[in-house]
Amino acid sequence: MAEVVIVPSAEEAGRLAADAIIRLIARKPNAVLGLATGSTPLSTYAALAERATAEAGDLTHVRGFALDEYLGLPADHPESYRAVITREVVEPLGLTPPNIHVPNGSPDGIETAGDDYERAIVAAGGVDLQILGIGTDGHVGFNEPGSSFASLTRVKTLTEQTRRDNARFFAAQNAGEASDAVPMHCITQGLGTILRARHLVLLAFGAAKAAAVAAAVEGPVTASQPGSIIQLHPHTTVIIDEAAAADLANADYYRHAWLNRPAWQQL
Ligand code: PGA
């Protein structure tokens, strides 16, 4: 079972996730991080940036692989995940740009981009710690409902719900329908790729995520709820706020287990 930690705020969640990442980097300075985009991981990146130099020391050897990328956005588009990762992770943390990989969403070479990405992850020795958000429709990465548990990095079509959810990031480009500016396609690590990471840290905040979190943590394991893959992984930590925990049947047990965790147990 995933370890579920219910915290008062996204900031507290970010601090806990950053603790796990800092411990990993102390043990393995060239650790491989799986980097999520979207609003959810921002408190983790902020906590890391605050403590990076003081506690984590030299981050220049850290390597990273983004979960996904939109298809067909120009490389310099501010909402391309290459640009987002550069702005929100690489620059604030002082990471080394060539160490940080993002799937290639350019139409040139798209046929091989997924295989190339898988090879690069394998060549790096695999992902040590994968940061994950979850979509309101239950997606992880951009693996929309129905994605195969064995899937690897490949092109997917976004659901209209995901395009609506992400329209807020594209507000400056929106002319017509709210979601018009959001690309229809993406390239995403597969659920099979994500399952190979050694530690999954799934974060979720707010009432809009409560149903997806409950389905992921307690629902049946089903491709209809891609987040439910966490139940197949030997080391998953779910860090959520009270609102995102609202639909969990066993929330009291998770709180009890966290409060009474053995002193040696770390995330
Ligand atoms: P969000 O997106 O962090 O912007 O809520 C999460 C996701 O779509 O996986």
Side-chain angles (χ1 to χ4, degrees):
M1 188 194 105
E3 177 167 40
V4 180
V5 186
I6 302 169
V7 293
S9 66
E11 287 65 38
E12 179 60 20
R15 276 193 288 278
L16 283 177
D19 283 346
I21 295 168
I22 287 170
R23 271 197 304 276
L24 167 66
I25 295 169
R27 197 166 75 234
K28 182 177 178 185
N30 68 344
V32 179
L33 300 180
L35 301 167
T37 45
S39 52
T40 303
L42 292 179
S43 61
T44 300
Y45 298 141
L48 272 176
E50 220 170 80
R51 291 155 57 184
T53 37
E55 291 178 53
D58 181 7
L59 297 183
T60 57
H61 301 293
V62 168
R63 296 168 291 165
F65 286 87
L67 272 174
D68 41 25
E69 175 61 290
Y70 291 114
L71 225 66
L73 287 184
D76 60 352
H77 190 290
E79 293 311 320
S80 77
Y81 284 164
R82 165 61 75 184
V84 170
I85 290 277
T86 301
R87 192 168 66 233
E88 291 170 357
V89 186
V90 176
E91 289 172 352
L93 298 186
L95 305 183
T96 305
N99 289 352
I100 308 304
H101 306 264
V102 180
N104 181 4
S106 137
D108 296 335
I110 195 64
E111 297 84 357
T112 56
D115 290 347
D116 293 346
Y117 205 62
E118 290 293 327
R119 265 194 297 275
I121 294 174
V122 170
V127 170
D128 292 302
L129 185 151
Q130 175 66 58
I131 302 163
L132 291 173
I134 187 165
T136 57
D137 67 357
H139 70 219
V140 287
F142 270 143
N143 294 281
E144 300 287 25
S147 295
S148 161
F149 285 3
S151 53
L152 301 178
T153 306
R154 76 253 185 258
V155 170
K156 287 288 287 183
T157 305
L158 297 176
T159 63
E160 286 304 295
Q161 184 173 336
T162 297
R163 294 181 74 220
R164 277 194 300 276
D165 286 349
N166 286 8
R168 67 194 193 280
F169 297 113
F170 287 79
Q173 289 86 32
N174 271 341
E177 273 295 300
S179 57
D180 276 356
V182 182
M184 180 115 30
H185 298 101
C186 64
I187 175 165
T188 180
Q189 287 190 31
L191 296 176
T193 319
I194 292 168
L195 279 172
R196 289 177 188 165
R198 286 182 267 279
H199 182 191
L200 304 181
V201 177
L202 187 145
L203 301 148
F205 312 118
K209 300 291 176 72
V213 166
V217 174
E218 297 177 340
V221 175
T222 165
S224 299
Q225 288 291 340
S228 67
I229 58 155
I230 63 172
Q231 297 179 49
L232 298 174
H233 194 281
H235 188 192
T236 297
T237 309
V238 175
I239 311 177
I240 51 182
D241 66 4
E242 293 285 348
D247 290 357
L248 289 170
N250 297 322
D252 287 345
Y253 170 65
Y254 308 138
R255 289 192 188 91
H256 173 77
W258 176 247
L259 284 174
N260 294 290
R261 66 193 179 281
W264 47 262
Q265 187 184 321
Q266 296 179 318
L267 288 184

